[in-house]
Amino acid sequence: MIVNSINLNSVNQNNNIKRQSNINMYTQSSDCVSFSGAKKADKAPIPYRLQSKLQDDFHITGRQVRIRDFLEKQSQGLSNEEIAKATFPTTFESGSEEEKAEVLAYTQNMQKKIDELDASFKKVIPSLFPKTYYRGIVDSSSNRALEVIKEAKVGDVINPDLGYPFMASKLEYAEGFSQYTDGSSDPETCAVMIIKTPAGTPISRDISFNMFSGDSNAVLARGANFEVLDKKIENNKTYITLQYLNCALDE
């Protein structure tokens, strides 16, 4: 039997008999597509699937740098007020009370943003299959990863990024980020992380990014821990192979 066309709630067969389909294309709790003939009440919330609803935040470099700095100070046991004083010392030495209050509000908002990002990962479907990702790093005072990588040995468990590690799905894309603008590199200041993630890893995957760069990117949940599987120097860069273990959300 040849099927000429398929509609949402019915199937037209070539004998012109219209039969009711057993498939209900709309449910209040599932992803939905709205057509012009949809009922006004048919506006169910679309759950977050492959990516965090705050995915765009991970593309704002300045914000991610500030989050890393905040988390670094927090890991040292500093309170929000102490973090504010360490981050903006001049304000607390000579600023007005209004300026001090503004800085304190900044640290409170930073914690709120981190809580929101963490919560967004809980609505992302964990990866269904094992996959290898890549991350390129070049010397930066705002990135602790290089110092951790320098000290790392095979078998160690390391935490190179207290924030949200950004990854690429293609090695060559990550390698482009692991060198200076003139194309030069140095194994002391340039590294490529080869990150093996098992099924069930909380990953926010930005599939649409592939349209612009030929590569898709992904972000791990905050504070990912890894086991070092291999470490070597090639092409004047440090290559380190890591196995994802867990993250701060698991604690």
Side-chain angles (χ1 to χ4, degrees):
M1 182 179 291
I2 300 174
V3 177
N4 288 333
S5 63
I6 298 177
N7 297 323
L8 280 180
N9 295 313
S10 64
V11 176
N12 288 333
Q13 300 170 350
N14 60 343
N15 58 4
N16 293 322
I17 298 175
K18 190 174 184 179
R19 299 181 184 276
Q20 191 70 21
S21 169
N22 292 325
I23 300 175
N24 184 357
M25 296 295 287
Y26 175 80
T27 64
Q28 285 293 118
S29 60
S30 65
D31 289 354
C32 305
V33 178
S34 176
F35 295 92
S36 58
K39 299 177 182 178
K40 290 184 179 180
D42 293 351
K43 293 183 179 180
I46 298 177
Y48 317 130
R49 292 301 186 188
L50 295 180
Q51 68 181 50
S52 157
K53 71 170 184 177
L54 300 175
Q55 183 75 18
D56 288 346
D57 282 54
F58 302 121
H59 295 278
I60 304 175
T61 303
R63 176 174 294 169
Q64 292 306 311
V65 169
R66 291 193 295 273
I67 285 176
R68 289 192 183 104
D69 180 69
F70 178 85
L71 291 169
E72 187 71 46
K73 290 181 172 65
Q74 196 176 67
S75 71
Q76 298 167 12
L78 300 182
S79 66
N80 277 1
E81 183 173 352
E82 290 170 330
I83 291 173
K85 289 180 179 180
T87 306
F88 305 97
T90 303
T91 299
F92 278 89
E93 289 173 5
S94 57
S96 66
E97 291 303 314
E98 183 178 352
E99 289 171 330
K100 292 177 183 178
E102 184 177 342
V103 169
L104 284 172
Y106 161 82
T107 59
Q108 293 169 353
N109 290 334
M110 187 65 68
Q111 183 62 60
K112 181 180 178 181
K113 172 57 66 175
I114 291 169
D115 292 342
E116 290 175 349
L117 290 169
D118 286 351
S120 75
F121 270 92
K122 295 179 181 179
K123 293 189 177 182
V124 172
I125 296 176
S127 59
L128 300 178
F129 306 100
K131 183 173 175 60
T132 299
Y133 291 94
Y134 308 91
R135 184 182 186 190
I137 302 172
V138 69
D139 190 22
S140 170
S141 59
S142 63
N143 198 331
R144 76 195 297 259
L146 277 171
E147 291 302 319
V148 173
I149 289 172
K150 285 179 186 178
E151 301 297 325
K153 299 181 290 295
V154 173
D156 286 352
V157 173
I158 63 173
N159 179 213
D161 192 335
L162 297 179
Y164 304 88
F166 215 90
M167 307 179 296
S169 62
K170 291 184 179 181
L171 175 60
E172 56 267 33
Y173 192 72
E175 286 178 325
F177 276 93
S178 65
Q179 61 191 23
Y180 294 103
T181 54
D182 62 359
S184 65
S185 58
D186 183 325
E188 290 294 311
T189 56
C190 303
V192 176
M193 300 166 66
I194 301 168
I195 302 171
K196 297 181 179 294
T197 62
T201 303
I203 303 175
S204 179
R205 289 141 284 180
D206 190 354
I207 304 302
S208 62
F209 195 73
N210 186 52
M211 297 169 58
F212 303 99
S213 69
D215 178 74
S216 61
N217 62 53
V219 182
L220 284 172
R222 177 172 59 86
N225 294 303
F226 307 93
E227 179 185 357
V228 180
L229 303 181
D230 188 42
K231 183 181 177 183
K232 59 188 177 182
I233 295 176
E234 286 185 357
N235 303 320
N236 221 30
K237 299 176 183 179
T238 297
Y239 285 76
I240 187 166
T241 303
L242 306 170
Q243 174 70 43
Y244 174 87
L245 299 175
N246 51 42
C247 66
L249 275 63
D250 298 324
E251 298 175 355

